[in-house]
Amino acid sequence: MKELKIKRVLPHAMVALLTVFTISACETATTGSDPQSTSNPSENMDANGKYQKPVTMTWAVQTAAASKLLDNETWEDNRWSRLFKDKLNIDLQVAFTADSSTDAYKNKLNAIIASGDLPDVFKTQDTNVFLQLAQNGQLADLTEVYNKYATDSIKEYQKRFADSFKGATIDGKLYAIPRMNDNFHEAPFLWIREDWLKRTNSQPPKTIEELVALAKKFATEDPDGNGKNGDTIGLALNKDLIRQNHASILGLVSAFGVPGRDESMFYRDQNGKMTFAWIQPNMKPALAALADMYKQGLINKDFTSKSESALVEDITSGKIGMAFGSNWGTWYPYNNVYKKDGVIVRPYPIPTQSGYDYKIGIESNAVGQMTMVRKDYKNPEAVIKMLNLYDETVNYSTKDVYDKYWANEQYRLSPIYIDQPGEVYAADLLKAMDKGSSEGLPPAAKPLYDYIAGFENGTLAKDDNAFGTWGQMSKSGSLPIVLNKYIPDKAIVQSILGIQRPDVWLTNVASLDTLTITTFTDIITGTKPVDYFDTFVQQWLKAGGQKSLDELDKMYPAK
């Protein structure tokens, strides 16, 4: 790989499991060594790989609305911290906590990086931050400890998610444990309140025209049944517009053949030319449709100032009928609606627009959340051993153990984890549901089957995990839409933007991103005409966009 140059940190910016897990017990037990100073960590391990003398690890905690602390546990003292102490003799200490669903975690991490006082283990989803730390020699090279200590099961993930591991590797050295995922789960869906559909005697829209008509019913009639017309929102937007979160425009622009996704969606068009999602000519009719809906009062007027937390309040209180969003909607925020009112908000394929082939943009599998270890940490192998234990506990144990350590977002209490991406199991689960049995499923997929079956037969009707899994992976869930429609339709477009980033893009991405959101907001709200989009394209190209395209054309040559 070419040497990567980072000028600054930008402020914006399981496989089907193949073998039964066994913990490696090949290390020779030797006593009397200080784990924080020995050059051979194995000397401080017993025959089961447990440290004989305690090893301390500080970590940065990403909190979020979805995070849950149960049974009076804390971030410092909980089921995972006690498990790591009991099984590995690792003492976890919290370096800091910050909310990762806002800018709080990112800002705190940037401050910590500037101070040079990094935690032993920490995460980032910002590729630019990861690259800068690696280039500056601030991260531990995990290549040797991964090869030595990772179990066969973990190494199978490396085969399955080869692109993810490639993204965590620079000049042949592994500088992070990647998220281990396929990014097609990022695809957008249209989420609709089931009760509003019934109350307005409507069907889920299959076209943009039908979407507009349904939004009009939702916004002007009385879909919530409170006796008042016009006090509800047809289609919700949030101020970030192009981000992969609740109420973005991603699903709508996809209908017009624009594979949009935040500021990173570079790809080659049908002619092999390097291009960028948000400068596509098809954005004009997409923005025109949104502007018309806004003018008619079908979109929330205050979206320009609507934070995600405020938007979730509107969703929970029953003000919103529809929104485009990601596959985890029944985990959050629509679990709130179900718990409060017993109402299901269900995912549907994005409506399409006549005359256009719909296209859905997703990130390169080479990018995503990275778990890193600071350069001078004396026991980098501890992270790999924790990953092994996580895998054993979550993926190869009983349902009770799975429920304790994974369900209810408890996996977040572990400093390192495998996201357990649903798409790995979705196809197997669909087959299992067809035959009505979980027999033959991989160990970690069986609890998912039980959740879906339990929700559908009513025995787990009030279980958050059952509702979340059902909405994501049942026959009527979101991921089967990807498997059975988006992928067969060849609608998925993956960004070419992997671990390499041109200097010109790194320098200008924040301002280009702001320019995009500001322009789209102005056009949707009517502050600027739709034709202003042409001006925006020229501004984007001049402000580093064209140079970015030129550099990316060289960096990621056509195959």
Side-chain angles (χ1 to χ4, degrees):
M1 178 178 291
K2 297 178 181 178
E3 181 179 355
L4 303 177
K5 299 177 181 178
I6 302 299
K7 292 185 175 179
R8 59 192 174 101
V9 178
L10 298 174
H12 169 67
M14 238 174 300
V15 300
L17 301 170
L18 302 179
T19 58
V20 175
F21 176 91
T22 57
I23 296 179
S24 174
C26 62
E27 296 92 340
T28 302
T30 304
T31 60
S33 297
D34 180 353
Q36 297 296 326
S37 61
T38 180
S39 60
N40 183 5
S42 295
E43 294 177 1
N44 184 41
M45 298 177 196
D46 64 19
N48 293 316
K50 180 178 179 178
Y51 292 108
Q52 294 185 328
K53 291 185 178 181
V55 166
T56 299
M57 177 186 292
T58 62
W59 70 296
V61 177
Q62 293 179 319
T63 64
S67 303
K68 295 180 181 180
L69 289 166
L70 305 177
D71 303 328
N72 296 315
E73 295 181 343
T74 67
W75 289 109
E76 292 79 11
D77 182 17
N78 54 70
R79 60 202 64 194
W80 277 105
S81 66
R82 293 190 291 268
L83 183 70
F84 288 131
K85 178 62 176 176
D86 179 53
K87 298 292 187 180
L88 297 174
N89 202 13
I90 295 174
D91 292 322
L92 291 180
Q93 296 180 0
V94 174
F96 70 85
T97 64
D99 190 344
S100 60
S101 62
T102 68
D103 287 339
Y105 180 85
K106 178 175 65 177
N107 293 339
K108 180 67 174 179
L109 182 59
N110 284 339
I112 292 292
I113 291 171
S115 74
D117 189 20
L118 290 172
D120 297 331
V121 178
F122 58 103
K123 295 179 174 66
T124 185
Q125 289 184 297
D126 190 328
T127 300
N128 304 325
V129 171
F130 167 63
L131 288 173
Q132 187 233 25
L133 290 169
Q135 292 281 6
N136 289 349
Q138 293 174 273
L139 300 181
D141 176 2
L142 301 176
T143 311
E144 183 178 345
V145 293
Y146 178 87
N147 290 336
K148 181 175 180 179
Y149 291 98
T151 62
D152 289 343
S153 176
I154 294 297
K155 290 177 179 177
E156 287 295 338
Y157 295 125
Q158 187 176 14
K159 295 177 183 178
R160 172 65 174 83
F161 303 115
D163 287 349
S164 296
F165 276 84
K166 182 179 179 181
T169 302
I170 300 174
D171 296 331
K173 297 178 180 180
L174 183 67
Y175 283 105
I177 301 300
R179 188 179 183 200
M180 303 183 207
N181 214 340
D182 283 327
N183 281 332
F184 72 70
H185 71 283
E186 295 175 349
F189 309 88
L190 181 62
W191 293 83
I192 311 176
R193 284 184 66 112
E194 204 169 54
D195 59 333
W196 287 23
L197 276 178
K198 293 178 180 177
R199 197 169 281 126
T200 59
N201 194 29
S202 302
Q203 296 296 317
K206 295 183 178 180
T207 66
I208 295 297
E209 184 180 10
E210 291 175 356
L211 169 72
V212 174
L214 182 60
K216 189 169 186 178
K217 282 186 177 183
F218 283 175
T220 61
E221 297 180 9
D222 183 26
D224 59 353
N226 69 350
K228 297 179 182 179
N229 288 356
D231 65 342
T232 45
I233 298 166
L235 179 73
L237 295 182
N238 74 53
K239 65 178 181 179
D240 288 328
L241 289 179
I242 63 174
R243 305 272 185 268
Q244 190 215 2
N245 50 19
H246 315 301
S248 73
I249 64 172
L250 301 187
L252 189 136
V253 302
S254 292
F256 290 83
V258 178
R261 180 177 163 76
D262 58 48
E263 79 292 342
S264 65
M265 195 61 209
F266 292 90
Y267 60 102
R268 292 189 180 276
D269 62 21
Q270 64 234 25
N271 299 316
K273 183 179 180 181
M274 186 68 70
T275 190
F276 182 67
W278 301 124
I279 62 172
Q280 301 307 303
N282 293 4
M283 276 302 301
K284 285 182 76 171
L287 289 169
L290 287 164
D292 185 59
M293 292 180 72
Y294 184 86
K295 184 177 181 180
Q296 293 185 59
L298 312 186
I299 292 172
N300 46 323
K301 290 290 185 181
D302 60 351
F303 83 83
T304 57
S305 61
K306 208 61 151 178
S307 68
E308 180 167 323
S309 58
L311 183 71
V312 170
E313 287 180 15
D314 287 346
I315 290 171
T316 304
S317 63
K319 295 180 181 179
I320 294 171
M322 284 187 293
F324 290 101
S326 302
N327 81 83
W328 55 79
T330 49
W331 289 100
Y332 182 80
Y334 300 117
N335 60 323
N336 294 333
V337 180
Y338 182 70
K339 285 192 290 187
K340 179 177 178 288
D341 299 324
V343 170
I344 290 174
V345 183
R346 190 186 296 269
Y348 295 94
I350 61 167
T352 57
Q353 175 68 16
S354 178
Y356 298 87
D357 294 327
Y358 76 98
K359 297 296 178 185
I360 291 170
I362 66 171
E363 284 186 311
S364 164
N365 289 335
V367 301
Q369 181 168 274
M370 301 288 184
T371 301
M372 300 156 288
V373 180
R374 69 175 177 87
K375 173 69 177 294
D376 296 327
Y377 183 51
K378 298 299 183 181
N379 290 91
E381 79 289 340
V383 176
I384 309 303
K385 294 171 70 63
M386 291 167 68
L387 184 63
N388 295 339
L389 181 55
Y390 177 93
D391 187 38
E392 175 196 21
T393 302
V394 170
N395 297 317
Y396 294 96
S397 296
T398 65
K399 184 179 184 300
D400 287 343
V401 172
Y402 175 90
D403 286 346
K404 178 178 180 179
Y405 289 98
W406 187 88
N408 295 304
E409 306 292 328
Q410 297 307 288
Y411 67 90
R412 296 176 185 267
L413 298 172
S414 174
I416 187 166
Y417 52 79
I418 301 164
D419 261 0
Q420 198 186 29
E423 62 269 19
V424 171
Y425 302 121
D428 291 334
L429 282 166
L430 289 173
K431 294 176 183 177
M433 285 182 278
D434 280 339
K435 69 180 184 179
S437 170
S438 63
E439 184 180 355
L441 281 174
K446 290 184 178 181
L448 305 180
Y449 176 92
D450 293 339
Y451 282 141
I452 296 169
F455 184 81
E456 292 183 342
N457 66 28
T459 59
L460 295 176
K462 295 184 178 181
D463 187 293
D464 276 1
N465 301 292
F467 181 59
T469 305
W470 172 82
Q472 192 174 33
M473 302 179 70
S474 70
K475 290 183 179 180
S476 59
S478 53
L479 288 178
I481 294 173
V482 181
L483 291 172
N484 298 329
K485 180 169 175 59
Y486 292 172
I487 291 177
D489 286 353
K490 298 182 179 179
I492 303 292
V493 178
Q494 191 170 56
S495 175
I496 58 89
L497 196 61
I499 198 69
Q500 291 181 280
R501 309 289 171 103
D503 283 350
V504 64
W505 186 83
L506 291 168
T507 301
N508 293 294
V509 61
S511 58
L512 292 175
D513 186 56
T514 299
L515 174 65
T516 303
I517 293 177
T518 300
T519 301
F520 291 2
T521 299
D522 287 346
I523 292 175
I524 292 170
T525 59
T527 303
K528 287 185 169 63
V530 174
D531 283 343
Y532 186 77
F533 175 79
D534 298 328
T535 301
F536 155 75
V537 172
Q538 294 306 312
Q539 291 174 331
W540 188 91
L541 292 169
K542 290 179 181 178
Q546 184 61 61
K547 289 183 179 179
S548 295
L549 291 171
D550 294 342
E551 289 299 313
L552 285 166
D553 199 41
K554 301 172 186 174
M555 190 171 282
Y556 295 93
K559 296 180 180 179

